[in-house]
Amino acid sequence: DGGRTIGLVWTLQLRLVQNTGVAFSQGQGLGPIVAVAVMVVIFFLVRMGARADKSITRVAVGAVVGGAAGNLVDRIVRSDAGLFDGAVVDFLDLGWWPVFNLADTAIVVGGVAIVWSGLAR
């Protein structure tokens, strides 16, 4: 991390964090297992999105798949030890929430939209 932060607005700052785990840096060192799980989830989400009848659901699935794929690619290209052993770069720090990145945001917003579109039948 190097301790360097760049304040932007209110509590939002940029701070570089290398995350080898999953959400909230849990599961450190489980990169290969996480990667396989992410690929399975992506497969099922793509199938779900292809069958979705609402545009919002298709867009939401695309956001989740895009975010998951982005984090997966990050883990692959930053790996020195072995396939999927790399870290995801997190850089958005609110000061009161764990550090995250834009792919994480797409996953969360897309997931909420998928649930919302399923409830709004």
Side-chain angles (χ1 to χ4, degrees), residues 32-54:
I33 295 167
V34 170
V36 169
V38 166
M39 288 186 281
V40 169
V41 169
I42 287 173
F43 173 79
F44 284 108
L45 281 172
V46 167
R47 289 184 53 156
M48 179 182 125
R51 292 191 308 254
D53 55 345
K54 295 181 185 176

Side-chain angles (χ1 to χ4, degrees), residues 29-110:
L30 297 176
I33 295 167
V34 170
V36 169
V38 166
M39 288 186 281
V40 169
V41 169
I42 287 173
F43 173 79
F44 284 108
L45 281 172
V46 167
R47 289 184 53 156
M48 179 182 125
R51 292 191 308 254
D53 55 345
K54 295 181 185 176
S55 295
I56 185 69
T57 304
R58 290 191 299 271
V59 170
V61 167
V64 174
V65 168
N71 278 342
L72 187 61
V73 168
D74 209 12
R75 193 174 297 279
I76 292 168
V77 300
R78 297 184 193 291
S79 179
D80 292 330
L83 189 62
F84 305 123
D85 278 336
V88 172
V89 173
D90 290 334
F91 57 91
L92 296 170
D93 186 1
L94 296 171
W96 45 269
W97 190 260
V99 182
F100 60 98
N101 61 35
L102 293 176
D104 299 334
T105 304
I107 293 166
V108 170
V109 171

